[in-house]
Amino acid sequence: MQFLQFALTRAFMALVTLLTVSLIVFTLMELVPGSCAERYLAFKNTQGSQITIEDIEAEERRLGLDRPFVERWVGWVGNVFIRGEFGDSCILRLDINQLLADKFWISLGICMAALILSYAIAVPIGIISAKSTNAWTNNSLRLVSYLGLALPNFLLALIIMLFSTVMFGDSLTGLFSNEYRDAPWSWEKFQDFLSRAWLPIFILGWSATAFALQTVRALMLDEIGKLYVTAAAARGVTGARLLWRYPARHALGPVINSLGFDLNRIFNELPIVALILTLTEAGALLFESLARSNDQQLAGAIIFLLTASIVLLNFVTDILLAVLDPRVRRGLMG
Amino acid sequence: MTLKRTLTLGVASFTLMAGAAFANCPAVTVADPMGVPPGAFPQQYELSEFQSAANCTLAFAENPAIAELNGRIKGNPDLPPLAERLPEEPLVVAPYDAIGTYGGTLHALSNAPEAGTSDFLSVRHVNLVRYSDDLQTIVPNVAKGWEWNDDYTELTFFLRKGHKWSDGAPFTAADVKFWYDNLALDPNINEKPKDYVTVAGQPMTVETPDETTVVFKLPAPKPGLLTHFATHFGQGFQPKHFLGQFHPAISADADAYAQSLGFDNGYAAIMAYYGNSDWTDTGTPMLNRPDSLDVLPKNAMPTLESHFIISETTEGRRFVANPYFFMVDTAGNQLPYINELDELFANDQEVRLLKLVNGEADYKTQSLQIADAPLLLDGQEKGDYTIQLKPKISMHTVSFNVTSEDEGKRAVFGDLRFRKAMSVAINRQELNDVAYFGLGQIQQYIGFSPAPEFVDPKWLTYATEYDPEGAKAMLDEVGVVDANGDGFRDLPDGRPLVLNLQFATQGIAGQVVELIGQYWKDVGINTTVKEVTPDEYRSAQSSNQLDVGLWEKGQPLGIILGNNELWVPPFENYFAHRVGMKWAEWVDSNGSAGIEPPDYVKSLIADINAFQSTPSGTPEFNEIGARLVQNMTENLLFIGTAITPDPIYRRNAVKNFPEFKTASYEYYRTYPYRAHQWFLSE
């Protein structure tokens, strides 16, 4: 009962967050100069139309741009939440849902894979390295994680591309080889995708791993010297059992909590990497729509989807933590 | 005739069994004519003309994969024999170097679905006529011939009997009339007829005395109409049998039929297939209605081009050879040789360059700039490709928004002294040395390129001297001075003036924009530089949101005679360099909206219409031409830089690829060089 109440409260808070985010995204979309009506009419001008101020106003009415800000926001949010529709991109004049199609899922997949990869490496290695006294292991781990933190992703991508172009004559760009580009999803297409997607996953995963590794290690070092660990050791608990059951359990709480934050960080880095590797996914599309083509509707849709994923992930980790640790439930409910 | 046809059919089927090697006509190429005299037009023959010149009977052969390719075209029935797919009089073309081999996929790079595509569109393009690769002779293409009357008011085209659309339906004179009457002039499709379908602002009439004869009757002489069909992307025909089903003027149940397919009405269906534009890369239903493809009869409208589109997304397009294409080589093989075309969209110039250096595309000219030449030349051997450096026709130009929404800016930009100051502030010599490697020819923009004989040479160098002090003095005169002491000049009303130089690499090179921005800073005008996509540049330009226009510009005389767009506000179409959007509104609305243009602009409009109707070479023609140049140049609506060469990229596997004369759009890119007879040999 208490758990259900906790979950419902959390879900409600997630929804409120999402609505607030949608308001911010929508406001940002509005700040960009030039309305969709003007853009659309500039295109119609190619059809030989005469465009007058009245035409622009009529088009604004048709697109509902003359209505008050709040009303338009409610309309946009309503469409997104109820029908899952983001409307049309006014630069490309195509339905955004169709334009994004699998692209967003591909981006999310790449980010999640990078996230999982980094935690799968960082958690065990971080714990072990905190305990390890072997100078060589510690130093090489430190070197790898400092490189991951210090090497900008775009530079890493460029270095790997250059290396591959010179050595193998393949620039490693794109997400699919030509024959699978427009093919429907199949096992073969997925394999083809993996044969290319490993590179962005690796690049994004490296820096994320480095970050997570240092966090886990620091948290472990904090916990490992605490009295309850010594007490447990005194009771005869040793080795891996001691590590996992005592300091690690406490150290991992904050790590799980930061999953949403890490996803956000990885996604932030995705557009630059995607642009360099010419991945045709949502990150590159986001960069292009924001920086190059001024496509507010499209950028808004991608940012909203991304935030929704982060909010959802946070919700899931909250629930997960609550399941693992009853104090969290009580903490929220007072 | 019937006898000859039966004979040809017989020989064709015999050859099909025996293989093309036994064709008894000499395999004439441009490189080796094998003693066969040239026909009436260079590098090509009509069938009967070739057979009598070579004293042989041509036997036809087809691509062995053609049935499989046809199977990938949705809605196409199984193929009839080749002889029934070719016109009775196919166009016989002499390949440049060798009879090609069938097969392969030609890879191309464009920027986006509607940006940077013309280069690749031209590869499969056909029109009624074509410019030969000398860029001087107009030769038959879809039409097998044409005839002008004496005063250039009646242009007759003769079509090929038995010519078929890509779905096998007959192509006739009715398709030309349909394009003109029911698409070009229908206000539901084109609200205002395009300039190129009118003569002195008046529509023509199209008559079809029989299935293979089309007569354009012009309200005034316009010798440039033929040139128009030779150089323009707009094809003078559209499939009446297909689009007509949706057109209320053609079919009584057009709306009902369209509605049964899920469209709002017939016009909506035409919009989905034809894009309401002669521009041939507007989206097909595969892009704009992907959810309703199952119920639609075809995924794209039939074409006469060499290849037919079979898939389209925001990432790329794919095409297969048109099984009904109307050309054969001199050995009787139906063209095209290349099975498939594959177009990939990459909006980033550096990414495209990387792919080119890596040999990931087969041909590219558009968007390649002289600045890219060192990198491209350097990689030739390793990437197994060849770069030709050829002169351009247009040049990088700059314009100021003389009809800006901001009245303060409009007054400044509209002041000729300001534009002149900005022109002489540019150090063209240094620009040429740095950005063009000294290969450019410094020149002012005069509209015509190259300059015809009637142009006084003084205009070619007008206001191209580097005179920063003079520029500063003129800016002071205009009242553009540093009012707030921040080191940069402000508008006369005291507001700061910052020129935001938005550009796309498709229209102008980044280095050129950076340098120009710096030169203007040197005379006290603050600038910022930002690269955007071509879509964004065009959209912002046509919605009157740019302060400064940056795109290449300039057309040869032959094209100007058929198309007045360079001389009438906004001085070119959506895709190119425009200025004076509000003047255009005034002109289009007959003065009821927009801003009234100054007298010299009105004089440009009157002169270009008179110019097009005046016999070329006459004193009157030269006089009007000289006046056009003076009004255009003296007023610096567009500020020129230098005419430069640009790189042309070809992977060495592409054969029958000649030396291009120019690296330019104006003759519709590859169209004079006959991409239909390119073939791939690894």
Side-chain angles (χ1 to χ4, degrees), chain A residues 115-183:
Chain A
L115 190 68
I116 293 168
L117 175 79
S118 65
Y119 276 74
I121 297 173
V123 170
I125 299 210
I127 291 171
I128 293 163
S129 77
K131 182 74 182 150
S132 165
T133 47
N134 182 331
W136 192 88
T137 327
N138 268 336
N139 285 336
S140 42
L141 269 179
R142 197 171 294 156
L143 179 72
V144 171
S145 38
Y146 284 164
L147 274 180
L149 288 175
L151 267 182
N153 281 328
F154 73 90
L155 192 63
L156 187 61
L158 283 175
I159 292 170
I160 296 177
M161 272 165 77
L162 188 66
F163 181 77
S164 168
T165 307
V166 173
M167 295 302 289
F168 310 114
D170 179 357
S171 57
L172 290 179
T173 51
L175 273 180
F176 301 102
S177 55
N178 257 326
E179 65 247 57
Y180 290 109
R181 208 178 62 211
D182 336 301

Side-chain angles (χ1 to χ4, degrees), chain A residues 38-39 45-47 50 178, chain B residues 276 318 539 545 574 588:
Chain A
E38 288 168 26
R39 291 309 163 91
N45 191 258
T46 64
Q47 316 294 100
Q50 281 176 34
N178 257 326
Chain B
N276 287 11
R318 254 174 235 275
S539 172
Q545 287 166 352
Y574 180 80
D588 288 342

Side-chain angles (χ1 to χ4, degrees), chain A residues 33-35 38-55 90-95 98-99 103 161 165-167 169-174 176-182 275-278 280-281 288 290-295, chain B residues 107 113-114 189-192 194 271 275-277 286-290 311 313-318 342-348 351 354-355 358 360 382 405 530-533 535-536 538-540 542-543 545 570 574-575 578 581-582 585 588-589 593:
Chain A
S35 77
E38 288 168 26
R39 291 309 163 91
Y40 182 67
L41 286 168
F43 166 73
K44 278 198 70 179
N45 191 258
T46 64
Q47 316 294 100
S49 313
Q50 281 176 34
I51 307 298
T52 61
I53 298 296
E54 290 77 55
D55 290 329
C90 49
I91 296 287
L92 296 168
R93 300 179 309 283
L94 289 173
D95 182 43
Q98 183 216 329
L99 200 64
K103 288 187 179 150
M161 272 165 77
T165 307
V166 173
M167 295 302 289
D170 179 357
S171 57
L172 290 179
T173 51
F176 301 102
S177 55
N178 257 326
E179 65 247 57
Y180 290 109
R181 208 178 62 211
D182 336 301
L275 214 61
I276 288 174
L277 295 177
T278 65
T280 45
E281 48 66 73
E288 198 179 293
L290 276 181
R292 294 256 179 95
S293 62
N294 199 357
D295 196 336
Chain B
H107 293 277
E114 291 179 45
I189 289 173
N190 282 287
E191 215 171 303
K192 172 192 156 205
K194 296 275 197 298
M271 172 72 193
N276 287 11
S277 165
M286 288 180 275
L287 194 62
N288 57 40
R289 301 180 72 89
S311 100
T313 67
T314 50
E315 282 152 42
R317 298 190 184 101
R318 254 174 235 275
D342 181 298
E343 179 181 30
L344 184 75
F345 302 135
N347 230 335
D348 192 282
V351 169
L354 175 80
K355 286 181 176 291
N358 238 355
E360 292 177 36
K382 197 154 187 304
E405 305 282 350
K530 187 187 180 202
E531 186 192 335
V532 294
T533 58
D535 286 320
E536 162 64 10
R538 288 165 171 160
S539 172
S542 283
S543 49
Q545 287 166 352
Y574 180 80
F575 302 101
R578 295 181 133 178
M581 294 305 300
K582 296 263 167 188
E585 201 180 323
D588 288 342
S589 64

Side-chain angles (χ1 to χ4, degrees), chain B residues 365-384:
Chain B
T365 301
Q366 187 176 20
S367 300
L368 295 185
Q369 311 266 4
I370 183 72
D372 310 323
L375 175 73
L376 288 169
L377 286 167
D378 198 41
Q380 285 186 106
E381 205 171 317
K382 197 154 187 304
D384 197 20

Side-chain angles (χ1 to χ4, degrees), chain B residues 148 151-155 194-200 204 218 220-228 560-564 612-614:
Chain B
W148 273 110
D151 64 351
Y152 291 97
T153 53
E154 212 177 282
L155 175 59
K194 296 275 197 298
D195 297 321
Y196 60 77
V197 300
T198 61
V199 176
M204 304 177 267
L218 286 59
K222 189 181 181 185
L225 182 63
L226 187 67
T227 324
H228 162 77
I560 287 171
L561 286 175
N563 193 332
N564 67 6
Q612 288 187 337
S613 292
T614 309

